[in-house]
């Protein structure tokens, strides 16, 4: 991709999201990388495009004047890529994705929606599995790429972080900790605990192990929504990823952990073995 196009896209996405950090997350760049690209544009064009503040960024009058032209260039570039892809046979085909519930629910639909507008004939196969299964599917070629909240365990696989996801304490409404700003990990050991498991992977127990603690694990399940229902019913406390809690249908309370804890969601693929449609799809993440 042309370096100037990357800068134009960084500018447009920063304006759309209102911050360098959110634009970086959307484009899979670093925050400093996005900031530097926009600074390059400002230096090259001899004008200030954005006003920076702690609250985010806003367009200057010069930035507002040039934005429609930059958006036009980005749009033309997308159409050019689409035409090239059509000529190279990307007008049809399929993409096979290994995924788990929170990614399938909250990340993939929006990306597939954008991709489908440009490539309406592409078909999709989503395989839902636990982390060990997804790892194996990518390594064996059963899927073109997969999503994991950890590094892949097979050699020869490439990875890229697409989202940082906070792990949250999950409490019943009216719980004594529900009014706190955050919940110490130690406090979750004082009552029955419900463990989220993914096959041979357990994201939650290591949180307690790092603190030298052991939860009173009464229940374990692989289903995020079953855990929410059990917490709502007062059967115990739990820890769940913020991503799956975005559309929470249950009467529960979620609070940051103390200390704050995160997982990095990665897209994982066999480097050099991606079909053209899958390779193009990854650019939309």
């Amino acid at each position: 991709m042309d370096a100037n196009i990357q800068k134009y896209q960084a500018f447009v996405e920063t304006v759309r999201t209102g911050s360098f950090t959110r634009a970086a997350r959307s484009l899979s760049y670093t925050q400093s990388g996005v900031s530097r690209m926009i600074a390059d544009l400002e230096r090259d064009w001899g004008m200030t495009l954005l006003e920076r503040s702690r609250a985010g960024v806003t367009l200057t009058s010069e930035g507002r004047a040039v934005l429609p032209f930059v958006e036009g260039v980005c749009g033309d570039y997308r159409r050019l890529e689409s035409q090239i892809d059509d000529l190279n046979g990307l007008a049809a085909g399929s993409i096979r994705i290994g995924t788990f519930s929170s990614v399938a629910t909250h990340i993939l639909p929006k990306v597939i929606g954008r991709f489908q507008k440009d490539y309406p004939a592409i078909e999709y196969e989503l395989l839902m599995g636990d982390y060990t299964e997804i790892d194996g599917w990518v390594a064996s070629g059963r899927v073109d790429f997969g999503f994991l909240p950890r590094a892949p365990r097979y050699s020869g696989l490439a990875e890229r972080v697409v989202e940082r996801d906070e792990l949250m304490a999950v409490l019943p409404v009216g719980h004594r900790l529900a009014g706190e700003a955050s919940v110490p990990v130690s406090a979750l050991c004082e009552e029955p605990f419900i463990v989220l498991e993914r096959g041979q992977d357990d994201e939650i127990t290591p949180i307690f192990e790092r603190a030298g603690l052991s939860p009173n694990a009464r229940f374990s399940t692989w289903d995020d929504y079953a855990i929410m229902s059990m917490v709502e019913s007062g059967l115990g406390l739990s820890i769940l990823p913020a991503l799956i809690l975005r559309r929470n249908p249950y009467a529960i309370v979620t609070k940051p952990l103390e200390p704050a804890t995160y997982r990095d969601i990665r897209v994982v693929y066999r480097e050099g073995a991606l079909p053209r449609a899958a390779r193009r799809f990854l650019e939309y993440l």
Side-chain angles (χ1 to χ4, degrees):
M1 184 185 297
D2 182 86
N4 282 330
I5 288 294
Q6 289 179 314
K7 294 175 184 177
Y8 299 162
Q9 291 173 338
F11 174 49
V12 171
E13 192 64 14
T14 300
V15 173
R16 186 186 73 82
T17 60
S19 84
F20 293 128
T21 300
R22 288 191 289 271
R25 188 179 300 124
S26 173
L27 295 169
S28 296
Y29 296 148
T30 63
Q31 185 271 340
S32 60
V34 170
S35 178
R36 186 174 61 252
M37 283 191 280
I38 298 201
D40 287 346
L41 285 180
E42 291 177 324
R43 185 185 63 252
D44 293 344
W45 294 347
M47 64 181 69
T48 301
L49 299 171
L50 299 172
E51 294 287 353
R52 283 85 162 164
S53 71
R54 290 185 177 180
V57 298
T58 55
L59 282 166
T60 63
S61 58
E62 292 92 346
R64 193 174 297 108
V66 301
L67 178 63
F69 298 96
V70 179
E71 290 175 326
V73 171
C74 291
D76 288 342
Y77 185 78
R78 285 194 298 271
R79 287 186 286 274
L80 171 62
E81 283 189 316
S82 179
Q83 180 61 40
I84 292 170
D85 287 334
D86 286 348
L87 294 172
N88 283 315
L90 197 56
S94 63
I95 299 174
R96 302 166 302 162
I97 306 170
T99 186
F100 52 96
S101 56
S102 53
V103 171
T105 304
H106 299 292
I107 293 180
L108 282 175
K110 293 179 181 179
V111 181
I112 291 174
R114 295 202 311 271
F115 192 77
Q116 203 165 34
K117 288 180 181 178
D118 294 335
Y119 306 103
I122 297 293
E123 297 178 351
Y124 306 86
E125 180 184 3
L126 271 62
L127 275 69
M128 303 290 292
D130 63 45
Y131 306 148
T132 303
E133 287 176 321
I134 295 168
D135 220 348
W137 291 339
V138 177
S140 68
R142 175 65 184 85
V143 297
D144 298 318
F145 56 85
F147 292 89
L148 292 171
R150 56 161 172 78
R153 292 177 179 164
Y154 287 86
S155 60
L157 298 184
E159 62 175 285
R160 174 162 60 88
V161 174
V162 296
E163 181 149 345
R164 169 155 272 206
D165 192 16
E166 187 170 9
L167 295 171
M168 308 287 287
V170 185
L171 319 167
V173 171
H175 191 273
R176 61 185 176 82
L177 297 172
E180 301 296 324
S182 60
V183 175
V185 172
S186 59
L188 298 175
C189 298
E190 299 169 1
E191 300 179 42
F193 190 82
I194 308 166
V195 178
L196 174 66
E197 292 185 341
R198 300 292 191 196
Q200 299 175 18
D201 288 283
D202 173 5
E203 296 173 277
I204 307 306
T205 302
I207 296 173
F208 293 96
E209 290 176 344
R210 287 193 294 270
L213 301 168
S214 179
N216 180 17
R218 293 282 185 86
F219 309 95
S220 64
T221 178
W222 58 269
D223 189 285
D224 311 86
Y225 293 98
I227 289 179
M228 295 183 210
S229 179
M230 294 167 78
V231 171
E232 180 185 52
S233 298
L235 297 178
L237 313 181
S238 193
I239 296 174
L240 287 175
L243 192 59
I244 200 65
L245 294 166
R246 285 183 182 175
R247 294 180 185 173
N248 160 37
Y250 297 94
I252 57 177
V253 175
T254 63
K255 295 290 179 177
L257 291 173
E258 184 183 316
T261 307
Y262 300 85
R263 64 177 186 170
D264 287 330
I265 297 177
R266 299 160 165 86
V267 61
V268 179
Y269 52 93
R270 292 180 297 155
E271 199 158 24
L274 273 176
R276 186 174 182 84
R279 190 165 64 249
R280 176 67 75 210
F281 185 90
L282 293 189
E283 296 179 6
Y284 281 64
L285 277 174

